[in-house]
Amino acid sequence: MWVYEKKLQYPVRVSKCDVRMAKYLIEQYGGADGELAAALRYMNQRYTIPGKVIGVLNDISTEELAHLEMIATMVYKLTKDATVQQLEEAGLGAHYVNHDSALYYENAGGVPWTAAYIQAKGDPIADLYEDIAAEEKARATYQWLINMTDDVDLQDSLKFLREREIVHSQRFREAVEILKEDGEYKRVF
């Protein structure tokens, strides 16, 4: 069960309307390595992970939902004053035709989110290594997004998200070591 605080995990500020940047940020909303895929991946994997590390998957999954909310807020703020012409110029004309200003789970190229983005092998070590890779890919994407904007307010929120991905990767690495030391995972030779 969740308790929802009616505030973002970290403040989201933007300095200006920037539809181009919003288009790129959509990658972290509905892309393969984005926040929705991460939250659902970890929530799903928690059912086949040993009890000693189940809390790691629960905690990080929940935090990824908070990150999804932050990305949605960024995209909203970056596009709320945009004209149809600005949306078209930024490559979001098709999005506007299909969804108006509503957010939609898709990547930066406009490809809809799919459950194929979620991996679950059922082997705790394999799944945790998948999770480490997912966090590192998200960290890299956040860095590239930071590099693509000169909006220092937006960079601040993106840097927060990048740093949280690093922490998540570290926590998954710790979980791998706990399971290896404990021997509580399936051994296949």
Side-chain angles (χ1 to χ4, degrees):
M1 173 167 217
W2 286 287
V3 175
Y4 178 67
E5 285 187 46
K6 295 183 180 184
K7 65 177 188 169
L8 295 174
Q9 182 184 11
Y10 188 84
V12 170
R13 294 180 300 278
V14 300
S15 299
K16 59 187 175 190
C17 176
D18 187 347
V19 182
R20 177 192 61 88
M21 193 62 197
K23 181 181 183 339
Y24 299 141
L25 278 169
I26 287 291
E27 185 65 32
Q28 289 303 90
Y29 193 68
D33 303 317
E35 303 296 351
L36 176 65
L40 295 177
R41 176 186 299 114
Y42 310 148
M43 188 63 67
N44 186 57
Q45 289 173 352
R46 70 180 291 278
Y47 292 97
T48 54
I49 203 87
K52 286 191 174 212
V53 297
I54 197 169
V56 172
L57 287 154
N58 261 354
D59 293 348
I60 295 175
S61 176
T62 302
E63 187 172 343
E64 299 293 6
L65 292 172
H67 296 174
L68 187 68
E69 184 179 32
M70 288 177 64
I71 293 295
T73 302
M74 289 177 207
V75 171
Y76 169 76
K77 287 183 174 189
L78 289 167
T79 60
K80 72 180 177 107
D81 297 322
T83 65
V84 173
Q85 182 179 353
Q86 287 173 310
L87 292 169
E88 285 180 300
E89 289 169 358
L92 289 173
H95 178 91
Y96 175 76
V97 167
N98 285 310
H99 310 288
D100 188 19
S101 61
L103 285 164
Y104 183 74
Y105 294 110
E106 61 190 0
N107 68 16
V111 178
W113 185 88
T114 173
Y117 294 159
I118 299 173
Q119 296 300 319
K121 195 67 177 170
D123 178 273
I125 299 296
D127 284 344
L128 287 168
Y129 277 121
E130 170 70 29
D131 300 343
I132 292 165
E135 293 297 325
E136 293 299 334
K137 290 185 277 186
R139 175 202 48 80
T141 302
Y142 279 122
Q143 184 58 56
W144 298 327
L145 289 166
I146 290 164
N147 295 345
M148 294 189 75
T149 184
D150 60 355
D151 183 334
V152 295
D153 288 330
L154 183 59
Q155 285 177 343
D156 179 58
S157 297
L158 292 171
K159 287 176 182 176
F160 170 82
L161 291 169
R162 180 195 61 199
E163 297 306 309
R164 294 306 302 160
E165 304 302 344
I166 293 168
V167 170
H168 295 169
S169 178
Q170 290 169 340
R171 290 195 64 207
F172 285 136
R173 291 171 200 271
E174 292 165 3
V176 166
E177 293 308 312
I178 289 168
L179 293 183
K180 282 182 175 180
E181 288 173 10
D182 194 48
E184 194 179 319
Y185 63 93
K186 296 175 189 173
R187 295 174 191 221
V188 178
F189 298 96

